[in-house]
Amino acid sequence: GEVNRVRVPQADVLVTHTDSPDVYVWHVQSQPNRTEEGDGVRPSQADLILKGHTADAEYALATMADSTASFYVASGGKDATVLVWQVAPASP
């Protein structure tokens, strides 16, 4: 779906949500390098999909780093809920 919110909780991580119930976490280093010849045709895929909303999650989206390498994601949806996830750092 159409991306309507983007947050950057860490220098190499993006969190997005669209007009679907899911929230997507993207680790920049695992995505295709669009500057190298031939790699630009490979589609990007989210590294983690956060689930829990029962209706579109197109409202508020916030992120907050904690004192470790993990971070929190909070999302509001049309299901009248706010969900909070703690996301651990990506494995190398």
Side-chain angles (χ1 to χ4, degrees):
E2 177 181 318
V3 173
N4 56 35
R5 299 280 188 275
V6 176
R7 299 293 181 263
V8 183
Q10 297 175 337
D12 60 347
V13 176
L14 302 173
V15 178
T16 65
H17 66 55
T18 65
D19 53 358
S20 80
D22 300 328
V23 177
Y24 302 92
V25 178
W26 310 81
H27 296 280
V28 174
Q29 297 302 318
S30 68
Q31 301 304 314
N33 184 344
R34 306 252 184 246
T35 62
E36 293 181 11
E37 187 176 323
D39 203 23
V41 298
R42 199 166 48 105
S44 295
Q45 294 190 4
D47 295 287
L48 180 62
I49 300 174
L50 305 175
K51 296 186 174 285
H53 284 292
T54 58
D56 294 350
E58 61 187 47
Y59 297 122
L61 178 65
T63 59
M64 180 184 78
D66 68 10
S67 60
T68 67
S70 64
F71 57 91
Y72 292 93
V73 176
S75 173
K78 285 186 176 180
D79 55 5
T81 62
V82 173
L83 300 177
V84 178
W85 298 269
Q86 183 178 19
V87 179
S91 300

